[in-house]
Amino acid sequence: MKNKIHNAIIFNQCVGILFVYIFENNVLLNYFTNLGLTAALVLFLLSLPDIFNFLFIIPSAYLSDKIGIKKFGLYGLILMSISAGVLVLSNFMTHQLIAIFAIFAISLYSLGRTIYTGSWNALINPHIEPATRGRFLAKLKLFLGVIGILFTFLTAKALSFYP
Protein backbone atom coordinates (compact mmCIF):
# COMPACT_ATOMS: atom_id res chain seq x y z
CA MET A 1 0.00 0.00 0.00
CA LYS A 2 2.85 2.37 0.87
CA ASN A 3 4.50 1.91 -2.55
CA LYS A 4 1.16 2.55 -4.24
CA ILE A 5 0.83 5.88 -2.40
CA HIS A 6 4.45 6.80 -3.18
CA ASN A 7 3.94 6.01 -6.88
CA ALA A 8 0.69 8.02 -6.95
CA ILE A 9 2.46 11.03 -5.43
CA ILE A 10 5.32 10.78 -7.92
CA PHE A 11 2.94 10.39 -10.89
CA ASN A 12 0.85 13.35 -9.71
CA GLN A 13 3.91 15.57 -9.43
CA CYS A 14 5.30 14.48 -12.80
CA VAL A 15 2.05 15.46 -14.52
CA GLY A 16 1.61 18.64 -12.50
CA ILE A 17 5.13 19.87 -13.15
CA LEU A 18 4.62 20.09 -16.92
CA PHE A 19 2.96 23.52 -16.77
CA VAL A 20 5.73 24.73 -14.48
CA TYR A 21 8.25 23.65 -17.11
CA ILE A 22 6.35 25.67 -19.70
CA PHE A 23 7.17 28.74 -17.60
CA GLU A 24 10.73 27.79 -16.72
CA ASN A 25 11.76 26.70 -20.22
CA ASN A 26 10.48 29.89 -21.86
CA VAL A 27 7.81 28.18 -23.94
CA LEU A 28 5.33 30.82 -22.79
CA LEU A 29 7.79 33.57 -23.63
CA ASN A 30 7.89 32.30 -27.20
CA TYR A 31 4.11 31.75 -27.27
CA PHE A 32 3.25 35.23 -26.00
CA THR A 33 5.78 36.85 -28.31
CA ASN A 34 4.26 35.03 -31.29
CA LEU A 35 0.82 36.22 -30.18
CA GLY A 36 2.11 39.79 -30.52
CA LEU A 37 2.07 40.81 -26.85
CA THR A 38 4.39 43.61 -25.78
CA ALA A 39 7.62 42.78 -23.95
CA ALA A 40 6.39 44.56 -20.79
CA LEU A 41 3.17 42.52 -20.73
CA VAL A 42 5.07 39.28 -21.32
CA LEU A 43 7.39 40.05 -18.40
CA PHE A 44 4.38 40.84 -16.22
CA LEU A 45 2.64 37.59 -17.20
CA LEU A 46 5.73 35.50 -16.52
CA SER A 47 6.14 37.10 -13.08
CA LEU A 48 2.55 36.43 -11.98
CA PRO A 49 3.19 32.97 -10.46
CA ASP A 50 5.86 34.38 -8.15
CA ILE A 51 3.65 37.35 -7.20
CA PHE A 52 0.71 35.08 -6.38
CA ASN A 53 2.95 32.71 -4.45
CA PHE A 54 4.37 35.56 -2.39
CA LEU A 55 0.95 37.01 -1.61
CA PHE A 56 -1.13 33.88 -1.10
CA ILE A 57 1.04 30.96 0.06
CA ILE A 58 0.43 31.50 3.78
CA PRO A 59 -3.33 32.13 3.44
CA SER A 60 -3.45 29.12 1.14
CA ALA A 61 -1.78 26.86 3.70
CA TYR A 62 -4.15 28.16 6.38
CA LEU A 63 -7.26 27.56 4.25
CA SER A 64 -5.94 24.16 3.27
CA ASP A 65 -5.89 23.22 6.93
CA LYS A 66 -9.41 24.59 7.48
CA ILE A 67 -11.12 23.25 4.34
CA GLY A 68 -9.26 19.98 4.01
CA ILE A 69 -5.89 19.30 2.48
CA LYS A 70 -7.03 16.99 -0.32
CA LYS A 71 -10.10 19.03 -1.23
CA PHE A 72 -8.22 22.33 -1.27
CA GLY A 73 -5.33 20.86 -3.28
CA LEU A 74 -7.85 19.53 -5.78
CA TYR A 75 -9.24 23.06 -6.22
CA GLY A 76 -5.73 24.18 -7.12
CA LEU A 77 -5.33 21.41 -9.70
CA ILE A 78 -8.71 22.28 -11.23
CA LEU A 79 -7.76 25.96 -11.52
CA MET A 80 -4.46 25.04 -13.18
CA SER A 81 -6.29 22.78 -15.67
CA ILE A 82 -8.86 25.44 -16.54
CA SER A 83 -6.08 27.98 -17.02
CA ALA A 84 -4.41 25.80 -19.66
CA GLY A 85 -7.66 25.70 -21.64
CA VAL A 86 -8.14 29.46 -21.37
CA LEU A 87 -4.55 30.01 -22.46
CA VAL A 88 -5.07 27.88 -25.57
CA LEU A 89 -8.29 29.79 -26.32
CA SER A 90 -6.36 33.07 -26.26
CA ASN A 91 -4.69 31.96 -29.48
CA PHE A 92 -8.04 32.27 -31.29
CA MET A 93 -9.03 35.69 -29.96
CA THR A 94 -8.70 39.09 -31.54
CA HIS A 95 -5.54 41.03 -30.72
CA GLN A 96 -7.43 43.19 -28.19
CA LEU A 97 -8.70 40.14 -26.28
CA ILE A 98 -5.47 38.14 -26.30
CA ALA A 99 -3.97 40.18 -23.45
CA ILE A 100 -7.12 39.88 -21.33
CA PHE A 101 -7.32 36.11 -21.86
CA ALA A 102 -3.61 35.70 -21.17
CA ILE A 103 -3.77 37.71 -17.94
CA PHE A 104 -6.85 35.76 -16.82
CA ALA A 105 -5.29 32.38 -17.70
CA ILE A 106 -1.96 33.07 -16.00
CA SER A 107 -3.72 34.49 -12.94
CA LEU A 108 -5.87 31.34 -12.70
CA TYR A 109 -2.79 29.19 -13.07
CA SER A 110 -0.88 31.20 -10.48
CA LEU A 111 -3.69 31.00 -7.94
CA GLY A 112 -4.15 27.29 -8.58
CA ARG A 113 -0.44 26.60 -8.22
CA THR A 114 -0.28 28.56 -4.97
CA ILE A 115 -3.31 26.71 -3.58
CA TYR A 116 -1.84 23.36 -4.58
CA THR A 117 1.60 24.20 -3.20
CA GLY A 118 0.13 25.40 0.10
CA SER A 119 -1.46 22.01 0.69
CA TRP A 120 1.14 19.70 -0.88
CA ASN A 121 3.62 19.43 1.99
CA ALA A 122 0.87 18.78 4.52
CA LEU A 123 -0.66 16.20 2.19
CA ILE A 124 2.45 14.03 1.88
CA ASN A 125 3.48 14.36 5.53
CA PRO A 126 1.36 11.47 6.89
CA HIS A 127 2.20 9.21 3.92
CA ILE A 128 5.99 9.52 3.96
CA GLU A 129 7.72 8.35 7.10
CA PRO A 130 10.49 10.66 8.35
CA ALA A 131 13.03 7.82 8.10
CA THR A 132 12.38 7.35 4.37
CA ARG A 133 11.49 10.94 3.43
CA GLY A 134 14.94 11.82 2.06
CA ARG A 135 15.04 8.73 -0.15
CA PHE A 136 11.51 9.37 -1.39
CA LEU A 137 12.19 13.04 -2.18
CA ALA A 138 15.40 12.07 -4.02
CA LYS A 139 13.43 9.58 -6.11
CA LEU A 140 10.78 12.23 -6.78
CA LYS A 141 13.46 14.74 -7.81
CA LEU A 142 15.01 12.18 -10.16
CA PHE A 143 11.68 11.50 -11.88
CA LEU A 144 10.93 15.23 -12.15
CA GLY A 145 14.35 15.81 -13.70
CA VAL A 146 13.84 13.09 -16.31
CA ILE A 147 10.35 14.38 -17.12
CA GLY A 148 11.74 17.92 -17.37
CA ILE A 149 14.45 16.88 -19.82
CA LEU A 150 12.02 14.89 -21.98
CA PHE A 151 9.39 17.62 -21.93
CA THR A 152 11.95 20.29 -22.82
CA PHE A 153 13.23 18.19 -25.71
CA LEU A 154 9.70 17.54 -27.02
CA THR A 155 8.58 21.17 -26.75
CA ALA A 156 11.78 22.39 -28.40
CA LYS A 157 11.20 19.96 -31.28
CA ALA A 158 7.54 20.97 -31.56
CA LEU A 159 8.44 24.67 -31.55
CA SER A 160 11.03 24.10 -34.28
CA PHE A 161 8.29 22.59 -36.48
CA TYR A 162 5.47 24.96 -35.43
CA PRO A 163 6.87 28.27 -34.17
Side-chain angles (χ1 to χ4, degrees):
M1 183 66 170
K2 186 175 18 171
N3 281 340
K4 189 175 178 181
I5 291 171
H6 288 201
N7 290 338
I9 291 170
I10 289 172
F11 178 75
N12 184 348
Q13 287 302 299
C14 287
V15 171
I17 199 77
L18 295 179
F19 207 67
V20 173
Y21 286 141
I22 289 173
F23 272 92
E24 290 179 1
N25 297 340
N26 297 321
V27 174
L28 281 181
L29 174 66
N30 188 21
Y31 180 70
F32 289 143
T33 303
N34 284 334
L35 288 178
L37 299 180
T38 65
L41 182 57
V42 171
L43 281 175
F44 171 72
L45 289 170
L46 295 178
S47 69
L48 278 177
D50 291 328
I51 293 169
F52 271 75
N53 194 44
F54 174 74
L55 294 174
F56 298 116
I57 192 70
I58 292 174
S60 173
Y62 177 77
L63 285 173
S64 165
D65 192 39
K66 292 293 181 192
I67 293 173
I69 298 166
K70 286 182 184 179
K71 185 189 245 185
F72 201 63
L74 181 61
Y75 293 153
L77 289 174
I78 290 169
L79 286 175
M80 287 191 290
S81 299
I82 292 170
S83 73
V86 173
L87 193 59
V88 170
L89 283 177
S90 69
N91 193 36
F92 303 104
M93 297 296 135
T94 64
H95 189 68
Q96 293 81 10
L97 291 176
I98 288 174
I100 294 169
F101 268 71
I103 291 169
F104 180 68
I106 301 302
S107 295
L108 270 182
Y109 165 76
S110 301
L111 183 61
R113 181 176 167 188
T114 301
I115 287 171
Y116 183 73
T117 303
S119 64
W120 193 79
N121 286 331
L123 183 62
I124 69 162
N125 193 33
H127 301 294
I128 311 298
E129 297 171 15
T132 61
R133 194 167 293 154
R135 196 170 331 137
F136 170 77
L137 291 174
K139 183 178 175 183
L140 174 63
K141 192 73 169 169
L142 176 71
F143 275 98
L144 292 178
V146 169
I147 293 295
I149 291 168
L150 290 174
F151 185 72
T152 302
F153 175 76
L154 291 174
T155 54
K157 269 298 189 206
L159 287 172
S160 70
F161 293 128
Y162 308 103

